Structures are given as structure tokens and as C-alpha cells.
Amino acid sequence: MTIAIACDLSGFPLKKELTEHLKSQGYTVLDFGIEGEDAPQPYFIQAPKVAKAIQEGKAEKGILICGTGQGMAIVANKHKGIYACVVDDIFSAERSKIVNNANVITLGGWITAPFVGKQIVDAWLAMSFTQKMEFKKDFLTNAFNQVVEIEKENFR
């Protein structure tokens, strides 16, 4: 499997760690991240490179790393066929795939230790999309009514 990866300056150290980790597991890695800490580029330049690689079939999945992961996710999700989720731990990584079928994950370079980043990526890659969320009218109505009741109680 080919995985596209990119980062901005905040994500550079984590990108290096994850790239080596993925290659050691036999993945092909397309590195679109900055080349070094002396050659920064903002996240809104980097995220489209991974999106384009997936859209063109050059990569099956993508990993984006910026300060918090939020900016990369916002930019990536603007591209057709990209389903990017911010992941901060193993649980969110698994759910991003199981429930949302994320083909891109974004991580925070400021907040993710390298050993945790590796665990997150491994968990995400191990998961399969298994759960389509099919909302029924009754479910949505009940959920809405519950929110209304909570608001009545807490926000007077």
C-alpha cells in the first residue's frame, strides 16, 4: 500500500518518525512534507498535495501533520473524495476508519509524541470500514428531543 504524507513546520519531526516507521513495515511512502526545518511551508500548501495523490490513484491513504491537526483536516476535507479526520489517540484513529471511512488522518505535531503517533497510525491502518451510519427519522427526532430537554434544564 502507498501512503502519502505531508507536514508543515510544526509537524516535521513527527513526519520523519512516521515515515521511517511506515517504511520499516513495508509501506511505500510518498513524502510531500517539507524537506527540512529551514524550508517551511504552511499547511494549506501541503494538504492539497496529499489529496491530489489520493485523487490521482498514486496513494491509497494519507497522513497530514500540522501543529494541532485541525488546519490540515479542514483543508484536506475541501477536496473531492477526501475524508480526513483529526486523530489524537488510538480510539479516535480506529473510529475514524470504522465509522467515517477516513482515507486521511491528521495529527498534531505539537501534541503527539512519536511513539503515540506510531500507535495511532498502526491502529488506523489495521481497521476496516464496517459501520454505515443509517439515520432513521425516529432516531433523529428522539435525539433532537433529548437535546431540547437538556437545553431546557441547563440553559435557562
Side-chain angles (χ1 to χ4, degrees):
M1 175 187 304
T2 301
I3 300 171
I5 191 168
C7 68
D8 66 3
L9 183 60
S10 304
F12 183 71
L14 183 57
K15 179 197 65 106
K16 283 177 36 179
E17 293 274 345
L18 292 179
T19 300
E20 292 171 13
H21 177 68
L22 290 165
K23 287 180 179 180
S24 74
Q25 293 187 351
Y27 292 102
T28 301
V29 178
L30 299 177
D31 187 345
F32 294 105
I34 61 173
E35 294 181 21
E37 295 183 42
D38 58 339
Q41 287 186 350
Y43 65 85
F44 53 83
I45 300 286
Q46 297 305 109
K49 295 176 183 180
V50 168
K52 185 176 180 181
I54 293 170
Q55 289 171 329
E56 293 176 350
K58 295 177 182 172
E60 287 84 11
K61 298 192 183 317
I63 299 170
L64 295 166
I65 311 159
C66 65
T68 63
Q70 302 292 337
M72 287 284 204
I74 291 167
V75 174
N77 279 315
K78 293 180 184 268
H79 294 83
K80 184 177 181 178
I82 302 302
Y83 308 102
C85 289
V86 179
V87 295
D88 296 317
D89 52 35
I90 293 170
F91 181 79
S92 61
E94 290 174 343
R95 293 299 160 264
S96 74
K97 186 65 179 164
I98 291 170
V99 177
N100 303 108
N101 200 21
N103 57 358
V104 174
I105 57 171
T106 67
L107 298 126
W110 291 333
I111 58 176
T112 308
F115 78 94
V116 175
K118 292 172 188 176
Q119 291 173 346
I120 288 170
V121 168
D122 290 346
W124 173 61
L125 291 171
M127 292 293 114
S128 297
F129 178 54
T130 58
Q131 183 179 12
K132 287 191 176 184
M133 300 299 285
E134 295 183 20
F135 294 106
K136 297 185 171 88
K137 184 179 178 185
D138 292 339
F139 173 80
L140 291 174
T141 301
N142 290 337
F144 177 76
N145 289 337
Q146 288 175 354
V147 169
V148 169
E149 290 303 314
I150 291 169
E151 287 178 345
K152 283 181 187 176
E153 293 173 16
N154 297 303
F155 305 103
R156 296 174 189 211

